[in-house]
Amino acid sequence: MCRTQNHKNVPGSKTIKKKKRFIFEFVFLLGSHRSFSYKTSDTKYLVPSYNVIIIGSGPTALGAAQRLLELKRKFPNLSIAIFEQHGEPGGFASSERDDQGFLWDMAGHEAYSHYEYFDDVLDRSIEHWNWRERAEYVLIKGSDGIRRFIPYPVQNNIEIMDKVDQKKCLSGLEEVAAKAGTPENPVNFDQWLVSNFGLGLYEVYLKKYNKKFWTVDPSDMNSDWVGERLTPPNITKIKDKIATYDNGTLAGDSALGKNKFFRYPRYKGTGGIWRAVADRLPRAWFMFHSKVTGLNTDTRVVRVQMKSIKEFHFDTMISTAPLDTFVNMIIGKDESLEEMKKLASHLVFSHTHVIGIGLTGQPPPILLNKSWIYFPDADAPFYKIAVLSSFSDDNVPEPGKQWSLVCEAAEPMRNFNLEYWTKENLINATIQALILYRFITPDMIVSKYHRRFDHGYPVPSVNREAILNTIQPWLESKGIY
């Protein structure tokens, strides 16, 4: 959902196609929904059995379910169950309306895709869309102490920087352009950033922002997850923009082509997308308020906390639960299980905080033409805000009289400052930063919202690929994807 995170495993890649083939090679098992004879040490009883059990009902899980619905038309006896611990689908991409009537998206404020099938599913699910001009900016304090809004992507708009920062960034970009075509093999994400953007932009912006977003130093991350090759910087164009700006004329930010506009649901926020996608699936597949608490890989029986603890057998499982949590709930006689649990414990992730501020009146002029703003500096707890009220009137109780900002902050996995990351302190720190930036005044505030996700974004740590390349084949050998 985050546009700036380009992974190699994009839809249509060889890896995705291979996974898809694995998932659907269980067709020989197809049969009617049945009971399974499960024997314990002292008794024998029947548990419900499904060909496929899906854990979670976020976008990934719903995408798998959509494909299974198509498969079920060919194999009508295919039995499927979806276990979701919350009361509605959406997962990390859900939306929630607070007691004052403000609607808050949890993460991923747009459904962005290069995948035609994905777009078709959304087109069939959502009837009414709002189209908005994409207006992304970075608010950054220059070497002269002045904060400036720089259009995104920053590397194409350095003319707005103060001259010290501008000179550093241009020098680095010139070095990158001069080396274009020279093979690079960065050992970590830190080296990848310098190699692709130059040392100047890295020091002025990229290192600060990426550390704030990922919560770890870029040198502790791999670069395998960055799947798209970047176009070398156009130094001539950058210099022309600097000259135009210095002459007192705004050069205009770089064209975004097809990405100049984005679409957003007219009603119910981004969470409404996934509720609508889920509504196109058989309701009987979903079991809400059902938290998976254990899994026996020997018997292929999963334990689920519902109103009471129940057990279900599966032929194939698709899990979208956090991998470390999922692996640690597994029991079985496989001697390598403990090794898998140990490896999973080394996976790194961030905790995500969503802070919503509902406001009366109108946004200040400096925010009227902005949709997203990114914050690399340390004077704000959040790394990004969205002017959410500008996406749809449905996001506020009284359109035209009220507006809203939703902020995202990333808490490190291993947090050594517990007091800072409390709900009360984080809301207060967010409000103080918004006041400092002159986005709001205290008397505007009519609603405060906060939600914390223990597992926010998975961090592509240096060892992550090696860990996944060990754990995932092991799970697949047991019918788990």
Side-chain angles (χ1 to χ4, degrees), residues 196-235:
N196 284 277
F197 297 99
L199 185 60
L201 192 62
Y202 168 82
E203 292 178 345
V204 170
Y205 165 60
L206 291 169
K207 182 176 183 178
K208 292 189 294 184
Y209 182 78
N210 278 282
K211 186 171 183 178
K212 193 173 186 180
F213 177 86
W214 293 110
T215 72
V216 301
D217 194 274
S219 63
D220 294 327
M221 298 167 58
N222 73 67
S223 61
D224 296 337
W225 58 278
V226 188
E228 294 183 4
R229 186 175 180 83
L230 296 176
T231 302
N234 187 328
I235 300 301

Side-chain angles (χ1 to χ4, degrees), residues 105 109 128-130 262-266 269-270 388 391-392 395:
D105 292 340
H109 307 299
H128 301 291
W129 294 91
N130 289 335
F262 70 95
R263 65 177 183 173
Y264 184 88
R266 191 172 300 174
T270 50
L388 202 59
F391 295 1
S392 172
N395 290 344

Side-chain angles (χ1 to χ4, degrees), residues 271-282:
I273 297 174
W274 310 113
R275 288 196 293 271
V277 171
D279 286 344
R280 296 179 61 86
L281 298 168

Side-chain angles (χ1 to χ4, degrees), residues 92-254:
F92 196 22
S94 61
S95 300
E96 183 177 7
R97 198 175 295 276
D98 67 18
D99 293 339
Q100 285 70 42
F102 289 87
L103 186 67
W104 305 110
D105 292 340
M106 297 303 102
H109 307 299
E110 62 168 317
Y112 177 81
S113 167
H114 293 297
Y115 190 20
E116 184 177 352
Y117 178 86
F118 175 90
D119 293 335
D120 288 344
V121 171
L122 266 57
D123 287 341
R124 294 194 299 268
S125 302
I126 300 294
E127 182 178 1
H128 301 291
W129 294 91
N130 289 335
W131 284 91
R132 298 288 186 261
E133 184 171 359
R134 185 183 306 283
E136 297 176 273
Y137 290 82
V138 173
L139 182 61
I140 189 168
K141 182 184 286 187
S143 62
D144 58 0
I146 298 174
R147 295 185 185 87
R148 294 174 175 84
F149 286 105
I150 301 177
Y152 184 90
V154 174
Q155 65 270 22
N156 293 340
N157 298 288
I158 64 173
E159 73 276 1
I160 297 174
M161 293 180 176
D162 69 78
K163 284 301 178 182
V164 174
D165 288 345
Q166 184 188 104
K167 184 177 179 180
K168 288 174 63 176
C169 293
L170 180 59
S171 176
L173 289 168
E174 286 176 324
E175 290 182 12
V176 170
K179 294 179 181 178
T182 304
E184 297 279 353
N185 294 300
V187 300
N188 55 42
F189 187 48
D190 192 86
Q191 290 186 11
W192 185 91
L193 289 170
V194 175
S195 174
N196 284 277
F197 297 99
L199 185 60
L201 192 62
Y202 168 82
E203 292 178 345
V204 170
Y205 165 60
L206 291 169
K207 182 176 183 178
K208 292 189 294 184
Y209 182 78
N210 278 282
K211 186 171 183 178
K212 193 173 186 180
F213 177 86
W214 293 110
T215 72
V216 301
D217 194 274
S219 63
D220 294 327
M221 298 167 58
N222 73 67
S223 61
D224 296 337
W225 58 278
V226 188
E228 294 183 4
R229 186 175 180 83
L230 296 176
T231 302
N234 187 328
I235 300 301
T236 300
K237 185 174 181 180
I238 291 173
K239 288 183 176 180
D240 287 345
K241 290 184 70 177
I242 292 174
T244 301
Y245 188 81
D246 288 348
N247 288 330
T249 303
L250 289 175
D253 57 338
S254 298

Side-chain angles (χ1 to χ4, degrees), residues 256-318:
L256 294 171
K258 294 181 180 178
N259 298 327
K260 187 173 177 61
F261 296 90
F262 70 95
R263 65 177 183 173
Y264 184 88
R266 191 172 300 174
Y267 308 106
K268 301 180 181 180
T270 50
I273 297 174
W274 310 113
R275 288 196 293 271
V277 171
D279 286 344
R280 296 179 61 86
L281 298 168
R283 179 61 182 85
W285 287 8
F286 290 90
M287 300 187 191
F288 294 109
H289 301 293
S290 300
K291 183 177 181 178
V292 174
T293 59
L295 170 66
N296 188 320
T297 53
D298 297 333
T299 60
R300 297 199 179 190
V301 169
V302 61
R303 291 172 62 87
V304 184
Q305 178 66 58
M306 306 170 95
K307 290 183 178 179
S308 60
I309 294 178
K310 295 186 178 181
E311 294 185 330
F312 302 86
H313 175 263
F314 64 91
D315 297 323
T316 297
M317 174 174 285
I318 301 171

